Amino acid sequence: MYNLLIHQWKEKVRSPFWQKNIWLNILLGILGIYLLMNIIIIGFFADVILKKIFAGINIVDAFTGILFYYFAFDLIIRFLVQKLPTLSIQPYLTLPIKKSTLLHYPLLKSVSCFINLIPVLLIVPFFIKVICSTSTPSFCLVWIITVFSLIATNNFLNFSLKKYFSERPILILTLFAIIGMLIYLDITKIISCSRYFTEALLYLAQSIWFVAIPISISVLSYYIGYYLLKKNAYIEDRQIKERINSNGFSFLSRYGEVGLLMRTEIKMILRNKRPKSMLYVSLMILAYGFIFYKDKNLDNYLILFFIGFFLTSAFAITYSQLSYSWESSFFDSYLANKISPYNYIKSKYLLFAVASFISYIVTLPYAFISAKIAYINTAMLLYNIGISSIIMLFLCTYNSTRIDLGRSQFMNYQGTGFIQYLSVIPLFGFPLFVHLLFKHFDLSQFSFYPIGFIGFIAIVFNKYLLKMVTNQFIRKRYKMALGFRQY
């Protein structure tokens, strides 16, 4: 195991990536150290912060209750952004190394993940400053072991989620929905999940013998991950059992070349790591309404506009910022084949419209909170389909950076450039201008009407707008293709 770790470390250090991006790595290293220092400071002054927020409540109880939220969100974030460590076992197959060792390696290596360092640096300062100075040694020992065991459980449980649930998106969405519902029930005080979590953890800390329970849970999660790795280790067995279904979304074939292009892009999204992880993150954004749609914000039309804009385009906007770069690895095939540039642009426009409409339908139940949410979100849906889609398709013709679809979305800025940041100005700038104009005349409650109307007009005349984007694409396509070929 030690030799495997040394080999992987040498592979990382000797990689040409570090030499090519040395200044970027130095900058990211400085930012990482700055982030870690902030986390340590927050952990050290957590007792002061909690005294101001939870007046009259025991600090240890309050901090333990917050850990419920941390571990809930931590499990979701890990699934979306944590990249599982891999090992190229082919060079080791001819060596006298047990297969179990090769399978234990990724599990043990995942412990050194950056995400595991964050809770340690956050919890340890508070533990030393507050708990160690106010509690018995046995209580301190069991409390910290329990917390670290829960961190390890989330880490190893992430293996199970990645290996087993990633191919079953319905189960993943169900799990996330359950976690979100528990958090919502706790926030609304219907069921105080955090209080039950606090009572259970503090009860375990009362006896040194109870420390076996959290340790057993973490060990169990480890061996579940190991079992799933072992089960999926035989590639030839997996190939026999799996049957690749290439007929997905076959109904789109009935819509000619546009439908076939949409079908290809949808498959690309669902089969590749980076766009698929972006899809999962966008689904999480749809739950932001529970955070912002509060009574105090229902009369603030600027907040309602802002949230309505992003809820109705959660996936469409983030995905379309790299509209053509997603296909950079096979962009030349579109140019070599007799594919109509207009149909190519139209397929992306329709995909944007469908994604926005699905987001709108999913978030429509927020209208039960207030009817004005439904009106504003409808106006923003029309604006996004009519205007935002055209702006994104036009501006993305200036982006010619290649994207590796297999890389993780977390801390991955490949393909992101000045154009993506610049696009925010026209996208949300116009609704903001209209809102401020109507607010000046004390007519904020009517400001969404012109936005929705302009979006509707743009949808009606989308053919002319798409031709404009097509002409721009034709002028830029060879320059884009040249950039996409650069590794």
Side-chain angles (χ1 to χ4, degrees), residues 76 80 169-170 172-173 176 276-289 311 314-315 318 355 358-359 362-363 366:
I76 297 175
L80 296 175
I170 299 299
I172 280 293
L173 294 178
F176 287 176
K276 187 164 61 174
S277 61
M278 181 178 288
L279 176 61
Y280 289 147
V281 173
S282 301
L283 292 174
M284 290 181 58
I285 294 176
L286 299 180
Y288 277 21
L311 287 185
F315 175 72
T318 53
I358 292 175
S359 298
V362 172
T363 58
Y366 286 129

Side-chain angles (χ1 to χ4, degrees), residues 98 175 326 331 369:
K98 293 182 179 180
L175 177 62
W326 293 115
F331 187 78
I369 299 175

Side-chain angles (χ1 to χ4, degrees), residues 112-123:
S112 62
C113 178
F114 180 79
I115 297 179
N116 291 327
L117 185 61
I118 294 176
V120 173
L121 296 179
L122 183 65
I123 293 169

Side-chain angles (χ1 to χ4, degrees), residues 466-478:
L466 290 176
K467 285 184 177 179
M468 178 190 68
V469 177
T470 302
N471 293 333
Q472 170 70 3
F473 173 76
I474 291 173
R475 288 193 295 268
K476 293 284 186 179
R477 57 182 173 175
Y478 294 112

Side-chain angles (χ1 to χ4, degrees), residues 198-232:
T198 302
E199 291 177 353
L201 197 150
L202 295 180
Y203 178 78
L204 292 175
Q206 298 300 322
S207 174
I208 191 68
W209 302 109
F210 288 150
V211 74
I213 297 176
I215 293 177
S216 300
I217 294 174
S218 62
V219 172
L220 178 63
S221 65
Y222 177 90
Y223 278 100
I224 290 175
Y226 175 80
Y227 170 76
L228 291 174
L229 281 176
K230 186 177 181 180
K231 183 179 179 181
N232 294 276

Side-chain angles (χ1 to χ4, degrees), residues 251-263:
F251 67 94
L252 291 173
S253 303
R254 298 197 297 266
Y255 299 96
E257 188 176 56
V258 174
L260 290 173
L261 290 169
M262 290 180 65
R263 180 186 177 189

